């Protein structure tokens, strides 16, 4: 493509979008760029090609805040759809393993909370019922009272450990998702 064709396509893309003076300014700007490249020894065709597609340039002029839209290749989409039985099952398997791992990690605090609740409830029941046993068998009643207090203490320790473990897991999860989100935004910024 030569610079005349480039200018015609750029004018066609900008026509009725900008005033004639603004279009003329952009044409002058790109003509100067082509001339500068040709003065350094580039051919006209190479200089015009290096500027890019006139429609994409017009899109960037008209929408400076938006990244240019990339055309999706029909063949790429067709290829992905046709091969999805091969890679799709593998992807679903990986997602299922990740979900199972995530669930297993959160089962640890669930078990801790269950142990804490069992210790506190069981210990409380043992302490509350020990006076009835002390009346009949004071030795067994004291053992039940001590066991109940021990269970309450173990339950409170398990509750405390479960709280700190859950808090640590929650913070780690937030950091992981924040990191993942920043990486996605960084990739979008690179492709913009």
């Amino acid at each position: 493509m030569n610079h005349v064709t480039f200018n015609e396509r750029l004018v066609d893309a900008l026509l009725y979008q900008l005033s004639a003076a603004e279009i003329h300014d952009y044409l002058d700007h790109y003509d100067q760029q082509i001339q500068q490249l040709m003065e350094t020894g580039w051919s006209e065709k190479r200089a015009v090609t290096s500027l890019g597609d006139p429609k994409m340039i017009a899109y960037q002029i008209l929408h400076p805040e938006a990244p240019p839209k990339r055309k999706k290749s029909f063949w790429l989409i067709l290829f992905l759809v046709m091969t999805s039985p091969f890679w799709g099952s593998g992807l679903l398997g990986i997602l299922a393993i990740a979900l199972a791992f995530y669930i297993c990690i959160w089962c640890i605090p669930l078990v801790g909370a269950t142990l804490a609740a069992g210790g506190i409830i069981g210990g409380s029941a043992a302490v509350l019922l020990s006076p009835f046993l002390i009346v009949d068998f004071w030795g067994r009643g004291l053992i039940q009272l001590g066991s109940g207090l021990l269970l309450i203490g173990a339950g409170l320790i398990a509750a405390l450990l479960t709280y700190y473990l859950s808090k640590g897991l929650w913070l780690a999860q937030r950091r992981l998702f924040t990191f993942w989100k920043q990486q996605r935004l960084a990739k979008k910024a690179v492709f913009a």
Side-chain angles (χ1 to χ4, degrees):
M1 168 179 6
N2 60 18
H3 79 281
V4 174
T5 308
F6 176 85
N7 286 345
E8 288 173 355
R9 290 185 181 172
L10 187 59
V11 168
D12 288 343
L14 295 174
L15 199 60
Y16 304 117
Q17 303 287 330
L18 299 175
S19 67
E22 289 175 317
I23 294 174
H24 184 68
D25 290 342
Y26 282 113
L27 290 177
D28 286 344
H29 171 74
Y30 287 108
D31 279 341
Q32 286 176 2
Q33 283 188 354
I34 292 169
Q35 290 302 322
Q36 287 174 354
L37 291 172
M38 288 174 57
E39 287 172 3
T40 62
W42 286 27
S43 68
E44 181 183 14
K45 183 178 180 180
R46 184 177 175 199
V48 170
T49 305
S50 71
L51 293 178
D53 182 26
K55 289 182 181 179
M56 292 299 286
I57 292 172
Y59 184 84
Q60 289 173 347
I61 290 170
L62 296 172
H63 308 285
E65 71 283 345
K69 294 181 181 176
R70 294 180 6 196
K71 291 175 71 177
K72 302 243 188 300
S73 170
F74 169 76
W75 297 109
L76 175 65
I77 293 171
L78 181 65
F79 175 76
L80 290 174
V81 168
M82 296 301 288
T83 59
S84 64
F86 300 112
W87 60 265
S89 57
L91 180 64
L92 285 176
I94 290 170
L95 290 175
I97 290 171
L99 181 63
F101 180 73
Y102 184 74
I103 290 171
C104 286
I105 285 177
W106 281 102
C107 281
I108 296 169
L110 178 67
V111 169
T114 305
L115 289 174
I120 293 171
I121 292 170
S124 299
V127 168
L128 290 175
L129 296 176
S130 64
F132 298 113
L133 194 57
I134 288 176
V135 172
D136 291 333
F137 306 103
W138 67 271
R140 290 183 189 169
L142 287 177
I143 290 174
Q144 183 173 336
L145 178 65
S147 298
L149 292 173
L150 184 67
L151 274 174
I152 290 173
L156 291 174
I157 290 172
L160 191 63
L161 291 175
T162 300
Y163 171 75
Y164 285 115
L165 179 67
S166 298
K167 186 178 176 182
L169 283 174
W170 179 256
L171 291 174
Q173 174 185 322
R174 270 184 61 194
R175 282 191 207 117
L176 179 68
F177 284 123
T178 302
F179 174 76
W180 176 73
K181 187 177 178 182
Q182 288 173 347
Q183 293 300 317
R184 277 190 69 215
L185 291 176
K187 281 185 181 179
K188 283 185 178 180
V190 167
F191 291 117

